[in-house]
Amino acid sequence: MTLWCPFDNFPAFDHPGAFVQPIATPRHTPFYEFHRAAGGRLIDFAGFEMPVRYTGDVREHRCVRGAAGLFDISHMGEFEVSGPGACETLDRLVTNDVSALEVGQALYSPACRPDGGIVDDLLVYRLPDRYMVVVNASNIAKDFAWIREASLPGVRLKDRSDETALLAIQGPRAADVMRGHVPPAALDLGYYRFMIGPMFGAEGVISRTGYTGEDGFELYFHPRDAERVWTGILSAGRPHGLEPVGLGARDTLRLEMAYMLYGNDISDTTNPLEAGLGWTVKLKKASDFTGKQALLDQRAKGLARKLVGFSLEGRRVPRHDMAIECAGREVGKVTSGTFAPSLERPIGLGYVEAGCAAVGSAIEIRAGEARLAARVVARPFYTQGSHR
Amino acid sequence: MGYPEDVRYTAEHEWARLEGGVVTIGITSYATEQLGDVVFVELPEVGRMLEAMKPFGVVEAVKTVSDLYAPLGGRVIEVNSALADNPALVNQEPFGEGWMIRLRPAKAADLQKLMTGPEYEKMIEEHQG
């Protein structure tokens, strides 16, 4: 049995039992013991021992689409950026417009290299007196160095990752789960808005963000409150059908929404324009930013390749790095692929030559000797989500 | 945890059960735990000759994919058509209703070369360190 695996950060699974090989020096989130107690199957993700699933990927996926799920995403990194010049520093680093943020608003943005390649995709939260930047776990060290390097005089940068627990509650019933345990105002916040307030007896950032396409919350708080918040959410959520959900379903949920996974769909060698993230690139914002010239040049020249979503007619599943063919010629590679539980069919993302990127284009995915018939479709794949 | 002792095992996590000159083949509960939810099983056509330890099909799970290897050589006489509509049977009953193919073995004695339940269990434990 040769196991293939979905995340770049996984070790190579070329031998049986690889999933359970001990990690050399595994890191743990504050919820590690709860994952074990809940029967979570633990795997290495970006150096953290994280639950890939508790019961089953499909069950957990449907739980989030139909009710609510609880995700531990504390492996992600949080930086605090403050002092005069904090806004300008961030605006010079990311493609989206930080200066336009109101207090209580969050922003999704890529950060680019000078050549336009993506350093990371991240969230910027504007707090009253500072910014919180949330980055991918695999990029914490790289991003911290990247921001420190670019910091203007007077800017204070702190890595708060080890002092921050992060849970996501996602699903159409998420607000019902939270009602009575967060301020009522938190239930009325719009998408990508947040507030600071009490939550399940702790205090922290209550954010209306997520990675699933459903309504939901992301809660940032101190790890000393890990137990009371985790158990509080589980017991408040049980009547609403909430269950803990692992990284496996997190990936199928985000992929149905065609949200990017850094290291798979976007990386140092892809730029936001070809990834379809042009809506996050504010070429006209006041501040100059790293990669701007490269992206302007790209736009003037036209894109050679584009990230597309595709859907398959058969049951075989496309996987990361499989070749994409068009009219018998290789035109790109699959970056993410899965069986989509909500659509009950295989879907994928991949870069293809611009000539094959139009919705409706017929393509083929090469899976060993087999060629899987596929068609470019509109993104997102799943359009019934409850997020506002 | 214990694996059934009326079947023999491969290092690739297939099992084989000999009954009345016919060998039934599937994958083990350990394999299904590794794979996660199975969503599709690609099986050979009835009548095809299989070579021992060569791939005969593919099992697709949500997050993983794996080739299936023939525990021994022989001619396929039946495939489990129930898996087409309900691939989850592989997760639910890997040693029962989740079987994959039946074949008429070229040499039934080859079954003795495969691992016994306790041997397979020992191999798994060693992998888990």
Side-chain angles (χ1 to χ4, degrees):
Chain A
M1 215 169 71
T2 309
L3 289 163
W4 173 92
C5 92
F7 303 115
D8 262 359
N9 300 319
F10 282 43
F13 291 104
D14 54 0
H15 56 95
F19 268 105
V20 288
Q21 290 292 307
I23 306 164
T25 48
R27 299 185 62 192
H28 293 150
T29 76
F31 307 98
Y32 172 71
E33 292 300 334
F34 307 125
H35 301 319
R36 287 175 57 106
R41 175 177 194 80
L42 302 171
I43 52 144
D44 175 22
F45 186 78
F48 285 82
E49 226 177 337
M50 297 297 286
V52 65
R53 72 181 64 92
Y54 300 86
T55 53
D57 297 320
V58 174
R59 179 197 166 92
E60 291 167 31
H61 180 107
R62 295 202 167 125
C63 182
V64 174
R65 290 272 182 255
L70 172 60
F71 304 77
D72 173 15
I73 47 174
S74 305
H75 56 305
M76 298 192 73
E78 293 84 11
F79 305 148
E80 191 180 286
V81 186
S82 61
C87 176
E88 178 67 15
T89 293
L90 292 172
D91 243 340
R92 290 184 185 195
L93 281 172
V94 307
T95 60
N96 212 332
D97 191 356
V98 177
S99 72
L101 274 181
E102 297 167 14
V103 172
Q105 197 177 11
L107 182 75
Y108 171 80
S109 183
C112 287
R113 297 152 38 109
D115 66 3
I118 300 173
V119 176
D120 201 0
D121 63 335
L122 44 82
L123 293 179
V124 180
Y125 287 79
R126 185 175 172 196
L127 287 87
D129 57 340
R130 65 209 140 99
Y131 292 88
M132 175 170 73
V133 180
V134 183
V135 304
N136 283 297
S138 52
N139 289 335
I140 292 175
K142 178 177 83 170
D143 289 356
F144 190 82
W146 191 251
I147 299 174
R148 188 172 52 193
E149 178 81 8
S151 287
L152 296 168
V155 168
R156 287 183 301 279
L157 171 67
K158 284 180 192 156
D159 182 355
R160 296 288 195 193
S161 305
D162 292 342
E163 300 141 63
T164 309
L166 173 53
L167 295 177
I169 300 93
Q170 302 278 303
R173 306 294 297 275
D176 297 325
V177 174
M178 303 299 284
R179 186 166 288 119
H181 304 282
V182 295
L187 304 180
D188 296 330
L189 291 170
Y191 197 46
Y192 271 75
R193 297 279 169 169
F194 70 95
M195 62 182 286
I196 296 168
M199 44 163 98
F200 296 93
E203 172 96 6
V205 170
I206 306 166
S207 171
R208 303 307 300 269
T209 43
Y211 195 47
T212 63
E214 300 299 331
D215 187 23
F217 298 79
E218 291 180 316
L219 305 179
Y220 301 82
F221 53 96
H222 196 279
R224 67 175 165 247
D225 296 314
E227 182 166 9
R228 73 164 75 177
V229 178
W230 176 267
T231 56
I233 294 168
L234 279 183
S235 65
R238 202 165 290 122
H240 302 289
L242 173 138
E243 292 181 15
V245 176
L247 292 181
R250 183 169 165 81
D251 191 57
T252 56
L253 289 157
R254 72 90 193 169
L255 192 45
E256 285 187 344
M257 294 305 296
Y259 291 153
M260 303 292 99
L261 174 62
Y262 191 87
N264 276 31
D265 310 306
I266 52 176
S267 71
D268 284 332
T269 58
T270 64
N271 73 55
L273 300 178
E274 60 195 10
L277 295 173
W279 61 277
T280 65
V281 179
K282 301 291 161 64
L283 294 165
K284 291 181 181 149
K285 72 176 177 180
S287 172
D288 200 5
F289 62 89
T290 308
K292 182 176 176 181
Q293 193 53 52
L295 296 177
L296 280 169
D297 293 348
Q298 269 278 320
R299 208 174 61 157
K301 205 168 63 182
L303 299 172
R305 59 175 185 178
K306 288 179 180 174
L307 189 71
V308 296
F310 53 87
S311 170
L312 284 84
E313 284 139 40
R315 302 288 287 181
R316 291 288 310 272
V317 182
R319 308 290 183 182
H320 179 75
D321 230 24
M322 284 180 175
I324 302 175
E325 295 183 346
C326 187
R329 195 168 56 83
E330 184 169 330
V331 294
K333 294 269 194 201
V334 175
T335 56
S336 287
T338 189
F339 177 80
S342 308
L343 308 165
E344 299 195 315
R345 57 162 50 202
I347 59 170
L349 295 173
Y351 287 95
V352 298
E353 292 175 10
C356 316
V359 168
S361 302
I363 55 174
E364 285 185 314
I365 312 302
R366 205 161 65 217
E369 297 302 303
R371 281 174 170 72
L372 318 177
R375 197 166 287 281
V376 176
V377 298
R379 294 183 279 161
F381 302 96
Y382 181 73
T383 53
Q384 313 298 310
S386 57
H387 80 288
R388 295 169 295 170
Chain B
M1 61 183 151
Y3 291 92
E5 296 201 21
D6 64 332
V7 302
R8 293 286 185 138
Y9 299 86
T10 71
E12 306 287 340
H13 308 283
E14 288 87 11
W15 56 263
R17 178 186 288 125
L18 178 65
E19 287 164 306
V22 172
V23 174
T24 303
I25 291 165
I27 62 172
T28 69
S29 53
Y30 177 81
T32 63
E33 285 156 22
Q34 305 296 307
L35 287 165
D37 289 333
V38 173
V39 294
F40 176 64
V41 186
E42 187 172 85
L43 296 174
E45 287 177 10
V46 170
R48 201 176 117 191
M49 282 298 295
L50 302 186
E51 265 184 79
M53 293 327 290
K54 291 283 170 63
F56 71 82
V58 175
V59 55
E60 294 269 11
V62 174
K63 308 297 331 158
T64 51
V65 62
S66 172
D67 282 331
L68 297 163
Y69 292 89
L72 64 179
R75 188 176 298 280
V76 178
I77 58 168
E78 192 182 351
V79 301
N80 187 353
S81 54
L83 298 182
D85 287 335
N86 192 4
L89 285 173
V90 177
N91 296 100
Q92 291 156 8
E93 291 187 55
F95 293 103
E97 292 301 309
W99 66 276
M100 293 179 174
I101 58 169
R102 295 211 163 100
L103 56 83
R104 181 83 61 192
K107 239 171 82 189
D110 283 352
L111 201 65
Q112 304 308 315
K113 296 179 188 168
L114 302 178
M115 281 180 271
T116 64
E119 285 166 349
Y120 179 69
E121 188 168 1
K122 186 156 170 272
M123 184 194 81
I124 297 293
E125 280 167 7
E126 282 167 5
H127 276 303
Q128 290 181 341

